[in-house]
Amino acid sequence: MCYAIPGKIIEIKGDIAVVDYFGEHRNALNKFLKAKIGEYVYAQGGILIDKLPESEAVEILKIWQDKFFELKKTDRRLAKTTTTDSTVYSHPLLELMQKVNLNKELTKNELLTLLKAKNRDELNLIYTTANNIRQKEHDNACCVHGIIEFSNYCRNNCLYCGIRKEADLNKVERYRMTEEEIFNAAKYAVKELGFKALVFQSGEDEWFSEEKLIKLIKEISKLNILIFISIGLRPKETYKKLYDAGAKAVLLRFETSNKRLFEKLRPNTSFDERIQLIKELKQIGYIVATGFLIGLPDETDDDIINNILLTKELKADMYSFGPFIPSENTLLLHHKVVDKNIVLKAIAISRFVDRDSNILVTTALETLDKDARTQGLLAGANSLMINLTPTKFKKKYMIYKRRYDAQKPIKEEITETINMLYSLGRAPMDINYED
Ligand code: SF4
């Protein structure tokens, strides 16, 4: 099983290759692979990452042929809007959905109205409208990335984080995977499990020096995958060197657009510095995934809408946000957990605000409710991650409590996720390249 379908290059336009997937065409950046017309390729995140022999591609496509069209049918059926009985919806909501369908921009007050919706029928209408737009923009393509959490050491003390530097050492068992363990976990994910894109995540762990990271990225690059890094604040120059070494995507959330809240919850770190770095990462050429936490103490509805708008303003290639789930290792343990529907509404609103965005459903959302990941995909999301950290380390990366995926064997988690995607008619295809 592979979590990317190969496509054939049918046209080259400068650095862009047009890739055909059973008649459907998508643009992908060809700058690094330099593939030619007629070659079969894998793309991830809008970038061509690997070629494969025609014989192998044809075999894989044969397996996908019927399934591909069958999945599309399921997706289209589930993405149909259901506005048959308008009497159950309030007038203002119908007007807002009309505006959304006409591709008109909603004002901040209108976005707040959507965020405040509570009635079950109204929520359904918001979610199905968002899912319908997702279907129109991306068809049934869904990115499936793996994530490997390679160190839970961190120099920071974010008040909400279970692996913060000063977390009780009786509760957090620190670990740092060796370079060999990281590479072997990546190799296993690619060769045995079929992943084409992997996220390498850690706390801000200075033990992994620039030199060590460059060496590691160069080694992993040999696997011909899309390498995402999620390592927190590092100098722009370091990120540039990591990009040159082969990392082409980065996950760096700004956590909250509320500067006062940011600086209260993340002592000794700077909001402006983080935002500046996210902008610089875009300039370097990284695919940037960014976003925020929902449900932080003292957060307002206004903050949530501002978070979505800031993600758009930062030109995120992927929206990554999830619920704040209190951790045993923090003083915020007894803070109330955010309602799942707030997160689903944020997904739908992000889709309305930035129609062709890629929106990730996080495993944190699934921790709130085992069906929430499915619901997130049905509320406008089109991307997800599977945790591939070796089990003995995974349970130690406790950024929040009761992590849904912490105990589950990796293969079981993959099978469940893929079956869930198929039940929704989603195919693990690449997304379009956006300049
Ligand atoms: S949120 Fe990130 S930077 Fe903050 S303590 Fe946790 S791992 Fe470190």
Side-chain angles (χ1 to χ4, degrees):
M1 180 63 219
C2 174
Y3 308 108
I5 302 175
K8 186 180 183 176
I9 299 191
I10 54 162
E11 196 184 342
I12 304 275
K13 299 188 271 191
D15 277 342
I16 304 297
V18 182
V19 186
D20 175 273
Y21 298 92
F22 299 108
E24 201 171 294
H25 299 163
R26 293 185 180 251
N27 290 337
L29 190 64
N30 189 24
K31 194 164 142 192
F32 310 107
L33 194 69
K34 303 209 180 304
K36 299 188 184 69
I37 292 179
E39 287 188 305
Y40 284 87
V41 288
Y42 281 118
Q44 283 288 301
I47 298 182
L48 293 188
I49 52 157
D50 202 6
K51 298 178 194 173
L52 70 168
E54 181 170 356
S55 54
E56 202 182 306
V58 169
E59 275 308 303
I60 298 172
L61 291 172
K62 234 190 261 167
I63 300 168
W64 271 104
Q65 175 96 41
D66 295 336
K67 182 121 195 125
F68 186 80
F69 293 104
E70 191 192 306
L71 288 174
K72 276 187 185 300
K73 259 199 246 163
T74 307
D75 181 39
R76 277 194 204 117
R77 179 173 50 78
L78 293 174
K80 264 196 197 137
T81 43
T82 49
T83 47
T84 44
D85 181 9
S86 59
T87 54
V88 295
Y89 308 118
S90 71
H91 248 318
L93 183 71
L94 282 178
E95 276 168 25
L96 291 185
M97 292 303 100
Q98 178 82 343
K99 242 180 129 172
V100 165
N101 286 328
L102 293 172
N103 204 355
K104 290 195 177 151
E105 203 172 314
L106 299 183
T107 64
K108 197 166 153 193
N109 273 342
E110 289 171 332
L111 297 174
L112 277 166
T113 305
L114 295 180
L115 192 64
K116 288 183 198 309
K118 285 208 166 62
N119 169 306
R120 207 186 57 195
D121 292 313
E122 293 188 347
L123 291 178
N124 280 343
L125 179 63
I126 292 171
Y127 301 153
T128 47
T129 306
N131 192 29
N132 186 260
I133 296 171
R134 185 273 316 155
Q135 196 276 331
K136 284 184 191 142
E137 295 290 337
H138 294 285
D139 210 315
N140 66 337
C142 185
C143 301
V144 182
H145 298 168
I147 181 164
I148 295 171
E149 294 153 339
F150 62 90
S151 164
N152 71 352
Y153 280 86
C154 187
R155 64 178 173 169
N156 289 331
N157 255 318
C158 304
L159 302 193
Y160 51 79
C161 178
I163 59 168
R164 61 202 295 265
K165 186 177 174 193
E166 285 171 12
D168 184 345
L169 289 180
N170 294 321
K171 293 183 183 154
V172 186
E173 200 185 326
R174 300 286 173 185
Y175 75 91
R176 203 175 256 138
M177 287 168 71
T178 63
E179 281 120 315
E180 195 187 357
E181 282 169 333
I182 300 170
F183 182 74
N184 286 341
K187 193 168 160 199
Y188 177 73
V190 177
K191 304 279 181 209
E192 298 289 325
L193 303 174
F195 281 82
K196 297 286 176 199
L198 294 176
V199 182
F200 295 87
Q201 186 169 62
S202 69
E204 285 190 14
D205 182 1
E206 288 165 314
W207 185 88
F208 282 96
S209 60
E210 179 186 290
E211 210 183 345
K212 284 194 179 106
L213 287 171
I214 291 174
K215 192 170 153 238
L216 189 62
I217 300 286
K218 282 192 175 158
E219 197 57 26
I220 296 169
S221 299
K222 294 178 188 158
L223 295 170
N224 292 335
I225 54 167
L226 176 66
I227 302 175
F228 251 100
I229 47 175
S230 174
I231 52 172
L233 211 66
R234 298 268 175 162
K236 178 188 170 189
E237 295 70 31
T238 301
Y239 269 111
K240 172 74 175 89
K241 288 180 193 163
L242 295 175
Y243 183 84
D244 293 338
K248 294 289 177 270
V250 71
L251 169 59
L252 186 70
R253 288 180 178 177
F254 54 82
E255 311 295 10
T256 171
S257 57
N258 180 327
K259 190 170 167 178
R260 185 195 48 80
L261 199 54
F262 181 101
E263 290 174 356
K264 183 171 142 200
L265 294 173
R266 299 181 56 94
N268 305 318
T269 68
S270 151
F271 174 80
D272 293 337
E273 206 182 329
R274 203 163 178 94
I275 295 294
Q276 180 59 24
L277 179 60
I278 294 171
K279 290 179 182 165
E280 288 168 347
L281 294 173
K282 280 289 290 184
Q283 285 160 8
I284 292 173
Y286 277 105
I287 294 171
V288 173
T290 189
F292 46 91
L293 280 166
I294 300 182
L296 287 169
D298 298 333
E299 183 183 67
T300 62
D301 285 353
D302 232 51
D303 289 332
I304 298 177
I305 297 301
N306 287 339
N307 289 343
I308 295 171
L309 296 174
L310 179 57
T311 313
K312 182 179 181 193
E313 192 188 314
L314 290 168
K315 301 189 173 61
D317 298 289
M318 185 175 280
Y319 283 55
S320 167
F321 57 85
F324 159 59
I325 301 175
S327 160
E328 277 95 347
N329 306 331
T330 69
L331 293 175
L332 300 179
L333 173 63
H334 300 295
H335 183 75
K336 97 174 159 25
V337 178
V338 67
D339 174 4
K340 172 187 72 177
N341 274 306
I342 306 265
V343 185
L344 297 177
K345 280 184 276 185
I347 291 176
I349 293 169
S350 301
R351 178 63 63 206
F352 299 150
V353 165
D354 198 355
R355 297 172 79 89
D356 63 354
S357 56
N358 294 296
I359 304 174
L360 180 70
V361 183
T362 59
T363 43
L365 179 57
E366 197 163 11
T367 301
L368 283 188
D369 167 340
K370 78 178 178 40
D371 296 323
R373 200 151 63 143
T374 310
Q375 292 163 353
L377 288 167
L378 289 172
N382 66 327
S383 181
L384 54 82
M385 282 185 192
I386 299 181
N387 195 326
L388 306 178
T389 310
T391 316
K392 68 173 175 175
F393 298 118
K394 186 157 56 171
K395 51 184 181 240
K396 296 178 187 168
Y397 203 88
M398 285 295 165
I399 42 180
Y400 50 81
K401 66 176 173 180
R402 289 193 307 272
R403 278 190 64 173
Y404 170 79
D405 58 353
Q407 302 301 334
K408 212 183 271 179
I410 288 173
K411 286 194 173 168
E412 194 184 313
E413 168 70 5
I414 293 172
T415 308
E416 268 184 39
T417 305
I418 296 302
N419 287 341
M420 180 272 287
L421 284 177
Y422 288 169
S423 73
L424 301 182
R426 306 293 172 95
M429 261 175 69
D430 194 47
I431 52 177
N432 248 329
Y433 175 72
E434 301 283 342
D435 202 357

